[in-house]
Amino acid sequence: MRIAVVGVGHVGLVSAAAFGRWGHDVVGLDDDAAKVATLREGRAWFYEPGLQELLDEVIAAGRLTFTSDPVEAIAGAEVVFACVGTPALPDGSPNLAYLEAVAHTVAEVATGDVLLVEKSTVPASTGRRLEQVIVREQARLGKSHRIEVASNPEFLREGTAVEDTLHPDRVVYGTSSDWARDVLRRVYAPLVAQDGCPVVETDVATSEVIKHASNAFLATRISFINAVARICEQVGADVDVVADGMGHDARIGRSFLSAGLGYGGSCFPKDVDAFAHLARQVGVPFRLLDEVRAINVGQRRLIVDKLRQELWHLDGKTVVLLGAAFKPGTDDLREAPAMYLAEELAAAGADVRIYDPVTSAQVAARLPDVQTHDTVGPALAGAHAAVVCTEWDEVRALTPQDFLNGLAYPIVIDGRNAYDPGVMLAAGLRYHSIGRRSAERQEA
Ligand code: UDX
């Protein structure tokens, strides 16, 4: 099939490469000339395990090309996947202007029947809106091709995006006609034949809600366990063991129950806000999600409180943050808890250092007053306290002795429960983590 993918970000580029692997002819379209130039040289413009190899394979097979020219990409395409950004506006609602622009372009340049598929996360009812835009534009331009809108949400995680796309837990698509459903069946037929993954075929609004509800639910699990962690700290329980104990129940499961300094990234924060916004808009406020968000923000404050407990005031103290990316295995700093923490600590007068094995140049560009390091030894040297923000292997590998040798004061605040509290406390560190045994409880 001839497929156009509009927007070559994390979702768009990985999806385009996967479509190529399944034997389709794919053109990636993006108005960012620099990204297109890099991709035309055959190089991924961001890091994602396995992506470069997959690109090498499908580009060599002649199944994937890139352009900034909408006519080249869309004219002749049977399916257009919209993978453009939907960044949050100040009121929490997503900015759908880029998506609307894709609908305009498709109406303008399509040369035959086209299925326009939303892959970007969008509120329910976006499909209907896009259809209105297309009908109006077609009337204005005097065109009459069949252009329908479908929803086909993406569930890939950064760091495992290629694996998640090539071997998904499920494929979900929502359409409003048999024709549209058959187009998407043909897109995914090679995957379903190989992988046998379940397919959920439904209407457009249901598919849109599946995406929102999935991400909101996962974020809720994280905030739930973080709230439980607060209680564990007060009653002397261990949240990791609590999560294990809960997780053995097949109805609950263990995943997304790791307590820590909260979720970040390009999806959860934005999607929780967008779903809460949609709920308010349709007159059924989803207050649970407001609390999910509040707990998440509170986790960062908790780290600052723990630092204050140990260091008294922060003015003039040097604090080293271990990890900046919102999770290991990615170079993405969007909504990374470490970046918020760095700003809060700097505002309180602390000298902030950040160690991250892959993002230190990006961090330096965003936070010019912060000292950045891509090796951990110099980052620790002489600092008054260390805070674990991202559980990179390099961070997990640190021993109590590394902290004792490097830091000026032996204070470690572990925002990702990366170490064993027994070992850290026995070594003489002032060790705090999230919802587990800590220095002051040890004393008590
Ligand atoms: C997420 C969804 O998992 C994916 O399905 C969707 O398509 C996009 O959003 P991603 O943002 O890549 O993917 O990251 P994910 O691995 O889900 O982690 C999100 C954040 O939650 C990270 O900051 C991570 O550190 C945090 N997290 C995750 C926890 O704090 N505890 C957990 O138990 C799990």
Side-chain angles (χ1 to χ4, degrees):
M1 297 173 81
R2 183 79 165 69
I3 295 178
V5 174
V6 186
V8 290
H10 274 89
V11 170
L13 185 55
V14 175
S15 304
F19 294 142
R21 156 71 72 84
W22 299 328
H24 302 303
D25 287 326
V26 190
V27 184
L29 170 70
D30 204 294
D31 55 14
D32 185 328
K35 284 178 190 162
V36 170
T38 306
L39 290 165
R40 280 187 153 170
E41 287 166 17
R43 289 184 293 122
W45 66 270
F46 57 87
Y47 174 70
E48 188 62 50
L51 178 59
Q52 188 58 55
E53 293 78 357
L54 184 61
L55 284 180
D56 292 346
E57 176 197 315
V58 291
I59 292 172
R63 299 226 173 272
L64 177 58
T65 56
F66 299 95
T67 181
S68 291
D69 176 4
V71 176
E72 192 184 328
I74 293 170
E78 199 175 342
V79 198
V80 176
F81 283 92
C83 304
V84 292
T86 53
L89 290 167
D91 66 355
S93 68
N95 181 350
L96 300 172
Y98 303 109
L99 199 58
E100 184 180 4
V102 177
H104 277 256
T105 310
V106 172
E108 198 179 322
V109 307
T111 53
D113 295 348
V114 180
L115 185 65
L116 171 59
V117 188
E118 324 155 339
K119 247 197 192 303
S120 320
T121 304
V122 293
S125 77
T126 304
R128 207 166 31 80
R129 285 287 192 180
L130 289 175
E131 257 163 16
Q132 280 168 3
V133 169
I134 291 165
V135 168
R136 263 190 222 138
E137 274 299 284
Q138 283 195 307
R140 190 178 69 82
L141 298 162
K143 296 203 165 191
S144 59
H145 301 297
R146 182 213 292 247
I147 303 178
E148 284 189 24
V149 176
S151 156
N152 170 218
E154 185 49 67
F155 300 98
L156 59 81
R157 286 162 299 175
E158 288 182 32
T160 52
V162 171
E163 186 61 23
D164 290 346
T165 307
L166 294 178
H167 306 288
D169 288 343
R170 79 298 209 184
V171 169
V172 175
Y173 46 80
T175 52
S176 42
S177 74
D178 290 350
W179 171 75
R181 188 202 55 217
D182 289 343
V183 169
L184 281 166
R185 273 190 189 165
R186 283 193 291 125
V187 169
Y188 286 104
L191 165 71
V192 174
Q194 266 167 36
D195 209 68
C197 70
V199 179
V200 179
E201 291 183 342
T202 182
D203 58 84
V204 176
T206 304
S207 168
E208 290 168 339
V209 174
I210 289 172
K211 171 69 186 192
H212 266 305
S214 299
N215 274 0
F217 184 72
L218 291 170
T220 302
R221 285 177 68 104
I222 298 171
S223 282
F224 183 92
I225 202 69
N226 282 334
V228 172
R230 297 277 191 114
I231 296 168
C232 286
E233 277 182 28
Q234 297 311 315
V235 302
D238 182 320
V239 73
D240 285 350
V241 182
V242 170
D244 290 343
M246 291 168 62
H248 284 300
D249 186 327
R251 293 168 302 174
I252 299 175
R254 177 63 172 84
S255 66
F256 283 76
L257 286 181
S258 297
L261 84 170
Y263 59 77
S266 66
C267 288
F268 285 172
K270 178 170 73 74
D271 290 354
V272 167
D273 287 357
F275 203 25
H277 183 270
L278 171 74
R280 275 193 300 276
Q281 219 177 25
V282 297
V284 279
F286 199 162
R287 292 192 191 88
L288 175 63
L289 296 185
D290 299 334
E291 191 57 25
V292 166
R293 178 187 210 277
I295 292 170
N296 199 52
V297 172
Q299 290 308 99
R300 307 196 283 254
R301 302 223 176 92
L302 182 66
I303 300 286
V304 178
D305 291 346
K306 286 177 192 275
L307 279 170
R308 283 214 168 93
Q309 250 175 54
E310 286 290 345
L311 292 171
W312 183 24
H313 63 87
L314 299 173
D315 200 4
K317 303 282 165 50
T318 301
V319 178
V320 55
L321 305 185
L322 300 176
F326 81 94
K327 66 175 186 179
T330 169
D331 59 359
D332 199 335
L333 295 175
R334 283 177 290 178
E335 298 291 323
M339 300 301 276
Y340 283 103
L341 199 53
E343 280 167 1
E344 278 187 47
L345 293 173
D351 289 323
V352 182
R353 291 181 193 168
I354 297 188
Y355 157 77
D356 194 280
V358 301
T359 67
S360 60
Q362 275 189 71
V363 175
R366 259 180 62 176
L367 301 174
D369 295 336
V370 160
Q371 218 186 85
T372 55
H373 295 267
D374 46 24
T375 47
V376 73
L380 289 178
H384 296 112
V387 179
V388 176
C389 295
T390 318
E391 64 279 34
W392 288 104
D393 287 345
E394 294 85 338
V395 173
R396 282 190 187 279
L398 292 171
T399 63
Q401 206 53 45
D402 292 327
F403 288 110
L404 290 167
N405 293 345
L407 294 170
Y409 301 160
I411 301 168
V412 178
I413 316 287
D414 182 355
R416 293 294 179 188
N417 288 0
Y419 311 113
D420 181 335
V423 173
M424 298 296 271
L425 292 166
L429 285 158
R430 301 282 310 170
Y431 178 74
H432 300 258
S433 53
I434 308 290
R436 305 186 306 172
R437 204 141 62 88
S438 65
E440 73 279 14
R441 190 151 296 279
Q442 177 92 333
E443 282 154 13

